[in-house]
Amino acid sequence: SDLAAYFEGHFPDCAVLPGVIQLGTAHRLAEAFIGRARPLRTVKKMKFSHVVQPGETVHFTLTKKTDDEFAYDYRRGDVPCASGVLCF
């Protein structure tokens, strides 16, 4: 798919990756790790620290905390971009 579409229209003069896309991606990847679809109950400690702009390389980490909680983290090098804990 074309990732550029995710950046369009969030802010008229500054293309950034919307937080809802980052959260949705973390959710889908956690479900893939679990091996089945699971609805989110809540998200704890959600933080958006630095915007992600087109062309930037961002690394994603998913860490299983418990059977029902997974921490996620988006980073651009050493710069934290977004993080939180998905609760199923």
Side-chain angles (χ1 to χ4, degrees):
S1 70
D2 184 11
L3 295 177
Y6 292 129
F7 290 93
E8 294 174 5
H10 194 56
F11 294 113
D13 297 328
C14 181
V16 300
L17 184 62
V20 69
I21 299 298
Q22 295 174 54
L23 181 59
T25 300
H27 181 203
R28 283 191 305 279
L29 291 171
E31 287 179 323
F33 179 83
I34 295 166
R36 64 183 171 94
R38 287 186 72 186
L40 278 177
R41 190 171 35 90
T42 190
V43 181
K44 299 188 300 188
K45 301 179 183 179
M46 186 167 26
K47 208 184 275 190
F48 296 97
S49 308
H50 210 298
V51 298
V52 177
Q53 296 179 312
E56 294 180 333
T57 299
V58 179
H59 296 276
F60 175 80
T61 304
L62 183 69
T63 306
K64 182 178 179 180
K65 295 173 63 89
T66 70
D67 285 343
D68 295 322
E69 291 189 353
F70 290 80
Y72 68 90
D73 184 60
Y74 289 90
R75 290 186 170 271
R76 188 178 67 238
D78 291 335
V79 177
C81 296
S83 61
V85 178
L86 306 170
C87 302
F88 295 96

